[in-house]
Amino acid sequence: FAETVPLAAIVHYQFPARGDMPPVQLHWYDGGLLPERPAELGENPVLDAEDGIIFVGDKGKMLVKGWGGEHPRLIPESADKAYQRPPKTLPRSIGHYKEWVQACKSGSPTRSNFDFAGPLTEAVLLGSVCIRNGGDKLVWDSANLKITNDKDANNYLHYEYRKGWSLS
């Protein structure tokens, strides 16, 4: 539908290397679509998650269940049990919404401030633009806020408001 995002989608992102950090691939599954179950999970239903993240690295995999739920765990479970966790040195979150209210009242920054949340939102919305554009690969110029390899896809970045409905 032209007015909404699809009920389910898989979006693939490629982020280039930055400084001494290597390039990163991200695969977003939404609406009940799921990646292939990692073999490292075995048959343990405790490690299953309705929502979550799987990080795949050069030396192993890590599962984060839910959004802000349990601590991340290495998989397989034997790797998680063998890992010696470092001491907690960062302040713990009081919760996403409570942080937002606290920031509004005190002016203190949240852990998920615009420096982090803005680029994340930009990436997620660009996935929606890609879907609306037919799913072809799009190349994004973040400095100039435009798609460089498909001029027409830029039409999805802005739209004209109906008369009487504007942001000015």
Side-chain angles (χ1 to χ4, degrees), residues 66-78:
W67 295 106
E70 294 185 25
H71 72 271
R73 53 176 74 221
L74 300 175
I75 53 175
E77 198 168 6
S78 60

Side-chain angles (χ1 to χ4, degrees), residues 13-27 56-58:
Y13 298 88
Q14 295 179 3
F15 297 95
R18 294 180 300 150
D20 60 351
M21 295 185 292
V24 172
Q25 289 185 12
L26 183 140
H27 308 281
V56 178
D58 295 336

Side-chain angles (χ1 to χ4, degrees), residues 26-30 49-55 64-71 93 95-97 116 120 124:
L26 183 140
H27 308 281
W28 180 278
Y29 294 79
D30 193 39
E50 291 181 19
D51 288 325
I53 304 167
I54 298 173
F55 293 98
V64 182
K65 288 175 59 172
W67 295 106
E70 294 185 25
H71 72 271
S93 173
H96 186 72
Y97 299 107
F116 169 81
L120 174 63
V124 172

Side-chain angles (χ1 to χ4, degrees), residues 6-168:
L7 293 175
I10 300 173
V11 180
H12 304 284
Y13 298 88
Q14 295 179 3
F15 297 95
R18 294 180 300 150
D20 60 351
M21 295 185 292
V24 172
Q25 289 185 12
L26 183 140
H27 308 281
W28 180 278
Y29 294 79
D30 193 39
L33 299 175
L34 297 172
E36 184 177 322
R37 181 184 173 89
E40 295 88 347
L41 285 176
E43 297 298 322
N44 187 343
V46 172
L47 299 179
D48 288 339
E50 291 181 19
D51 288 325
I53 304 167
I54 298 173
F55 293 98
V56 178
D58 295 336
K59 297 179 182 178
K61 296 178 183 173
M62 183 170 60
L63 173 69
V64 182
K65 288 175 59 172
W67 295 106
E70 294 185 25
H71 72 271
R73 53 176 74 221
L74 300 175
I75 53 175
E77 198 168 6
S78 60
D80 191 65
K81 287 181 179 178
Y83 180 68
Q84 180 67 36
R85 287 183 163 64
K88 294 180 180 179
T89 57
L90 297 174
R92 298 297 169 232
S93 173
I94 59 173
H96 186 72
Y97 299 107
K98 287 181 181 178
E99 281 184 13
W100 184 82
V101 170
Q102 184 180 53
C104 291
K105 290 181 175 181
S106 69
S108 63
T110 63
R111 290 179 48 113
S112 180
N113 60 49
F114 290 114
D115 292 341
F116 169 81
L120 174 63
T121 301
E122 183 178 304
V124 172
L125 292 175
L126 285 168
S128 296
V129 169
C130 189
I131 292 167
R132 287 284 300 273
N133 197 51
D136 293 332
K137 178 180 178 177
L138 298 177
V139 178
W140 178 244
D141 176 354
S142 61
N144 294 302
L145 301 176
K146 67 179 184 178
I147 296 164
T148 60
N149 67 322
D150 186 332
K151 183 180 174 184
D152 293 336
N154 286 293
N155 294 330
Y156 292 117
L157 303 179
H158 307 281
Y159 58 91
E160 288 188 36
Y161 294 99
R162 293 183 311 192
K163 186 176 180 178
W165 297 89
S166 65
L167 297 174
S168 54

